[in-house]
Amino acid sequence: MLDVFRHSLRSSWPLCLLVLIFFTLGLICGALSLTFLPPVQIQELHDYINTFIKQARNLDLEAGRVAWEAMYGKMLIMVVLYLLGLTFIGIPVILALVFLKGFVLGFTVAFLNYDLAWSGLLLALACIIPQHLLYLPALFVGAVASLSFALVLLPRPSSTWSKIWGSFARYTGVMLVALTVAVGAGLVEAFLTPWLTRMVVGILE
């Protein structure tokens, strides 16, 4: 499985670069979009963040429910990527999902930094970064694998069913690895992130 994983990455470096570009564009656009928000929406977000900080220290979450919701959301994205990779029509949608993830992440970190300065960055490190250390690599690998297999399905004279089925087996294997890592990210979000958040909120108070 590891050899399949390495082979897929080596042969798909242009797609890796493409995914990284779309994600980076999403980050930049998300951060810049903050300047276009009307003052009313900025105030609403400011009030939401303040309420969250006040409640986070005494927040009592059901670990099982939070873990399921965190894992379900990330698994759903990986399954959607897998299904999109089964047709070359899904290529623009895959790139759009990567861009959207970058946009949301860029906007969130930019707003926390804008609203709370260094405290916002500290809060972002506790609330956002831990699970994304696992989830972003899983997302990138899933997106690259989906794009790669979608391109295999493009009609061409050299295409054979045996080649397609071999690529499908490798594609499924890589996506299973990505899915497993995404589940791990959900567990980090459910069990580690709340503890770090409470600790940081205690420092900010």
Side-chain angles (χ1 to χ4, degrees):
M1 183 68 71
L2 187 59
D3 290 338
V4 171
F5 183 77
R6 290 173 177 171
H7 176 269
S8 298
L9 288 182
R10 280 199 303 267
S11 61
S12 304
W13 71 264
L15 296 178
C16 293
L17 181 61
L18 182 63
V19 168
L20 184 59
I21 289 173
F22 268 79
F23 179 75
T24 304
L25 287 174
L27 281 176
I28 296 172
C29 291
L32 293 178
S33 68
L34 183 62
T35 61
F36 297 99
L37 279 183
V40 174
Q41 290 187 359
I42 291 179
Q43 184 60 43
E44 289 176 352
L45 289 172
H46 171 76
D47 294 340
Y48 175 80
I49 294 296
N50 282 341
T51 302
F52 171 78
I53 290 175
K54 291 177 182 177
Q55 296 178 349
R57 192 170 186 180
N58 300 318
L59 196 61
D60 187 18
L61 299 175
E62 297 179 15
R65 179 178 61 82
V66 174
W68 166 246
E69 290 178 355
M71 289 188 296
Y72 176 78
K74 291 170 175 55
M75 287 189 296
L76 182 61
I77 293 297
M78 301 310 299
V79 170
V80 169
L81 285 176
Y82 180 76
L83 295 177
L84 288 172
L86 297 178
T87 169
F88 61 87
I89 301 175
I91 290 176
V93 184
I94 295 169
L95 294 175
L97 287 175
V98 173
F99 177 88
L100 181 61
K101 181 60 184 178
F103 184 92
V104 172
L105 198 57
F107 176 83
T108 304
V109 175
F111 181 79
L112 288 174
N113 182 46
Y114 168 83
D115 194 47
L116 300 172
W118 71 269
S119 299
L121 292 178
L122 190 61
L123 192 61
L125 285 173
C127 297
I128 300 172
I129 300 303
Q131 60 267 27
H132 282 90
L133 289 176
L134 289 176
Y135 182 58
L136 287 182
L139 179 67
F140 289 171
V141 169
V144 170
S146 299
L147 290 171
S148 181
F149 186 70
L151 292 175
V152 169
L153 298 179
L154 285 173
R156 65 190 69 181
S158 60
S159 295
T160 62
W161 281 109
S162 60
K163 182 181 295 185
I164 291 175
W165 279 111
S167 298
F168 176 73
R170 289 192 295 272
Y171 172 51
T172 301
V174 171
M175 291 302 291
L176 285 174
V177 172
L179 178 65
T180 302
V181 176
V183 169
L187 293 174
V188 169
E189 183 176 350
F191 295 103
L192 178 60
T193 299
W195 177 77
L196 290 174
T197 301
R198 286 192 291 267
M199 184 176 66
V200 169
V201 167
I203 295 173
L204 296 181
E205 290 181 344

